[in-house]
Amino acid sequence: MRFIRHIGRYMIMLFSVFRRPTKTSVLKELILKETDDLIIGSLGITAFISLFMGAVVALQTSLNLDNPLIPKSLIGFATRQSIILEFAPTFISVIMAGKVGSFITSSIGSMRVTEQIDALEVMGINPLNYLIFPKIIALLFYPFLIAIIMFVGIGGGYLASVYGNLVSSEDFIIGLQDSFIPWHVGYAFIKTMVFGLILATIPSYHGYYMEGGALEVGKASTTSFVWTCVAIIISNYILTQLLLS
Amino acid sequence: MIQVNDLRKSFGGEEVLKGITATFEKGKTNMIIGASGSGKSVFLKNMLGLFEPDAGEIIYDGEPLHDMEIERKSELRKEMGMLFQHSALFDSMTVEENVMFPLRMFTKMKLPERLARANEILSRVNLIGLNKKMPSEISGGQQKRVALARAVVNNPRFLFCDEPNSGLDPNTATVIDQLIQEITHERKITTVIISHDMNSVMEIGETIVFLKDGKLAWKGTNEEIFRTDNKAVTEFVYSSNLFHKVRIAQNKGF
Ligand SMILES: Nc1ncnc2c1ncn2[C@@H]1O[C@H](COP(=O)(O)OP(=O)(O)O)[C@@H](O)[C@H]1O
Ligand SMILES: [Mg+2]
């Protein structure tokens, strides 16, 4: 019952975000700032994680490849498939739920606690539009981040393979190009867009509607992380079912 | 003018406002006083539409708040200034950005004009040279004054102040009180001030509403408040040591 109430309020929030828009020049500035905070600011850590995950995928594939009949180029193939299909879109989004998600919840939540949201409202500004709309727009750039992450991850696999003597550079690239299905990339980016929307809105919801004081801001960030992950994992399953099978 | 009729508000079964009727007049400093926890802030937030009242009406210059479309309410709010009890400054903005915010949002003023206006107001609240500081870098009393500057910078028609001088030294408190009164008289705005400071009440309380346990216990002017026999009021007024001594002195016939 409480869950349904949350869903209802979340839907109303999504709708209200687009009503009574803030002055365009102000919105532009806010969008730039959010893009910088949420996307550019996440580039370093996600690229770092991705580089090493690509390397580990290559290493694991190689370690489990003891049948001489299976070509070594499988390492390139496996790295590509796992990075593009799941690792870059899904795993990185779960990381982002921790990084960007809890940042959004705690920053909006502390504005709630210190009555800054009330101050916006009393001025006749739509706080939902002012606070959340720029985040949604900023996260429309999320697929660009994920595209970079895909390259970095595959690069990590390549470096680990070649410098770890798992497979030759030629074989890795052969594997990389082996039975490539362009739709997989389309599928990955559709997922990424949905995850971006989840990353912008669920943490905002938890921050915006929180009650209490500073302690509750911390609790709200944790709850928000859990629900953002749950939403990502479930929609990942649904989208894969719809788009790939 | 703001008319409030039989306003009621509960939180989870506990009735905080138990039917309050009051009038706040244009061009006057109207005060709401009462002990802490008596429901003053809740009352004000209902008036502003931040809380949805359970019953009763709030009428702005003849226009009931609950009949307004959200768009109309937004328009009305652009003419309101509010000083929150804990300032509620935007902590991602500097002092001057906070003060210029309403101008940036609702006027066509260019940056130099906005800056000039912000500086004019900041000097009226006795704050000079803090323009580039962040709210976290200034004291609570200074934050209050920045918040007052932000509340009045765009010439509101209605001004609400929740304990404007708590946390201020007596000198600054007087300056702030007088500034609020000056602005109210200059521009003929409707000002509502929450306070539990008897000094302020004496200085600028042109109409006074006294809340006790969520009920209206007394209303009158600052001349009447020292002559009333209402027990709740006298208890509140003379709980302040200074006034207590004044009253004893009066009784002795000085
Ligand atoms: N958002 C809220 N939820 C529940 N109770 C509240 C809320 N805000 C205020 N109250 C309660 O209402 C009462 C009056 O509070 P308030 O109006 O802040 O007092 P004050 O007169 O000191 O400003 C208090 O008992 C407080 O606990
Ligand atoms: Mg209060």
Side-chain angles (χ1 to χ4, degrees):
Chain A
M1 200 53 223
R2 239 180 65 205
F3 183 70
I4 294 175
R5 215 178 61 104
H6 279 295
I7 298 282
R9 198 164 60 167
Y10 173 73
M11 291 297 168
I12 293 170
M13 177 194 92
L14 286 187
F15 181 71
S16 312
V17 162
F18 297 95
R19 294 184 66 198
R20 290 192 291 138
T22 310
K23 203 173 172 179
T24 318
S25 61
V26 176
L27 269 187
K28 263 190 214 150
E29 209 172 275
L30 291 170
I31 289 169
L32 282 179
K33 188 176 172 305
E34 297 290 0
T35 309
D36 193 35
D37 281 351
L38 305 178
I39 303 291
I40 315 274
S42 304
L43 204 53
I45 179 70
T46 50
F48 173 82
I49 293 171
S50 172
L51 187 73
F52 281 87
M53 279 307 287
V56 168
V57 170
L59 196 55
Q60 288 280 16
T61 315
S62 159
L63 292 175
N64 290 291
L65 245 186
D66 41 18
N67 187 336
L69 290 177
I70 301 176
K72 286 274 189 196
S73 64
L74 180 69
I75 298 174
F77 176 80
T79 308
R80 183 198 77 208
Q81 287 301 81
S82 50
I83 296 276
I84 289 182
L85 289 178
E86 288 307 329
F87 177 73
T90 314
F91 185 77
I92 290 295
S93 294
V94 171
I95 303 279
M96 290 286 277
K99 186 186 182 290
V100 164
S102 45
F103 170 70
I104 292 177
T105 305
S106 58
S107 62
I108 296 185
S110 68
M111 288 185 74
R112 165 64 73 197
V113 171
T114 55
E115 299 182 315
Q116 292 174 56
I117 292 182
D118 290 337
L120 286 170
E121 192 144 351
V122 169
M123 289 179 195
I125 293 163
N126 174 3
L128 286 166
N129 178 266
Y130 182 86
L131 295 171
I132 304 176
F133 181 77
K135 293 183 171 61
I136 294 177
I137 302 301
L139 278 158
L140 289 181
F141 295 103
Y142 188 47
F144 290 100
L145 175 76
I146 294 302
I148 296 172
I149 292 311
M150 287 175 177
F151 279 105
V152 173
I154 291 170
Y158 177 83
L159 292 174
S161 302
V162 174
Y163 291 98
N165 287 322
L166 309 176
V167 53
S168 70
S169 167
E170 291 76 26
D171 280 348
F172 185 91
I173 290 169
I174 288 171
L176 211 53
Q177 294 169 336
D178 189 24
S179 43
F180 175 68
I181 303 169
W183 170 237
H184 282 179
V185 178
Y187 153 81
F189 282 117
I190 292 174
K191 287 211 297 195
T192 305
M193 301 258 270
V194 173
F195 296 163
L197 192 66
I198 291 174
L199 284 172
T201 54
I202 294 187
S204 296
Y205 173 84
H206 279 94
Y208 193 84
Y209 292 104
M210 67 154 293
E211 284 166 16
L215 185 65
E216 281 78 9
V217 175
K219 284 188 195 151
S221 302
T222 313
T223 322
S224 147
F225 173 70
V226 171
W227 284 107
T228 309
C229 288
V230 168
I232 288 172
I233 300 297
I234 291 177
S235 56
N236 185 34
Y237 175 76
I238 295 172
L239 287 170
T240 307
Q241 183 79 30
L242 286 176
L243 299 174
L244 286 192
S245 64
Chain B
M1 193 182 87
I2 309 168
Q3 175 68 40
V4 177
N5 292 329
D6 197 28
L7 188 68
R8 288 170 192 276
K9 177 73 184 170
S10 308
F11 291 107
E14 191 202 343
E15 199 167 35
V16 174
L17 301 179
K18 300 167 184 163
I20 297 176
T21 298
T23 307
F24 302 99
E25 292 170 37
K26 185 172 183 254
K28 286 196 177 165
T29 45
N30 305 280
M31 285 202 147
I32 302 172
I33 62 172
S36 80
S38 55
K40 304 183 296 295
S41 296
V42 172
F43 181 69
L44 197 64
K45 284 183 180 172
N46 276 280
M47 283 177 64
L48 292 162
L50 290 173
F51 286 150
E52 194 65 38
D54 299 336
E57 37 177 26
I58 298 133
I59 304 167
Y60 280 86
D61 286 344
E63 241 185 311
L65 193 63
H66 58 104
D67 285 350
M68 288 182 202
E69 296 287 330
I70 184 77
E71 283 76 15
R72 174 70 195 109
K73 219 186 256 181
S74 290
E75 287 308 308
L76 177 69
R77 282 172 167 169
K78 287 171 191 166
E79 301 182 289
M80 291 183 183
M82 166 79 188
L83 166 58
F84 284 84
Q85 188 165 1
H86 303 288
S87 302
L89 294 176
F90 300 120
D91 49 22
S92 58
M93 297 179 197
T94 62
V95 164
E96 69 181 16
E97 283 167 348
N98 263 287
V99 178
M100 290 190 295
F101 186 81
L103 302 176
R104 169 100 205 271
M105 283 295 187
F106 306 121
T107 71
K108 293 193 164 60
M109 285 187 191
K110 296 265 176 287
L111 182 65
E113 268 178 280
R114 296 202 298 262
L115 260 178
R117 174 80 184 128
N119 282 327
E120 178 197 330
I121 292 288
L122 281 169
S123 72
R124 279 189 83 173
V125 294
N126 270 347
L127 274 186
I128 299 168
L130 296 178
N131 286 34
K132 302 288 180 205
K133 294 254 193 248
M134 300 306 282
S136 58
E137 297 169 331
I138 60 179
S139 75
Q142 289 169 331
Q143 290 175 6
K144 267 272 162 67
R145 285 182 275 163
V146 176
L148 177 63
R150 183 180 70 182
V152 301
V153 72
N154 198 22
N155 299 333
R157 217 150 52 86
F158 303 95
L159 176 62
F160 303 92
C161 303
D162 195 344
E163 308 207 0
N165 51 23
S166 68
L168 297 182
D169 62 88
N171 260 336
T172 317
T174 308
V175 170
I176 294 300
D177 280 346
Q178 271 159 6
L179 176 63
I180 293 173
Q181 191 170 43
E182 267 168 43
I183 291 174
T184 305
H185 291 169
E186 259 169 40
R187 307 214 195 96
K188 299 266 178 295
I189 63 180
T190 307
T191 299
V192 180
I193 305 165
I194 290 182
S195 185
H196 53 218
D197 176 8
M198 283 313 296
N199 280 315
S200 297
V201 176
M202 289 238 304
E203 295 258 358
I204 62 167
E206 293 172 86
T207 81
I208 298 167
V209 164
F210 179 72
L211 298 191
K212 187 165 196 271
D213 303 327
K215 279 194 270 231
L216 182 117
W218 183 84
K219 60 179 148 187
T221 68
N222 62 350
E223 282 143 27
E224 291 162 358
I225 198 165
F226 293 100
R227 286 193 249 111
T228 178
D229 296 329
N230 185 306
K231 194 158 172 297
V233 177
T234 50
E235 257 172 29
F236 180 78
V237 171
Y238 298 108
S239 63
S240 150
N241 234 337
L242 173 66
F243 291 105
H244 189 61
K245 283 177 184 149
V246 171
R247 166 142 279 198
I248 292 170
Q250 281 172 345
N251 288 346
K252 284 180 182 161
F254 286 108

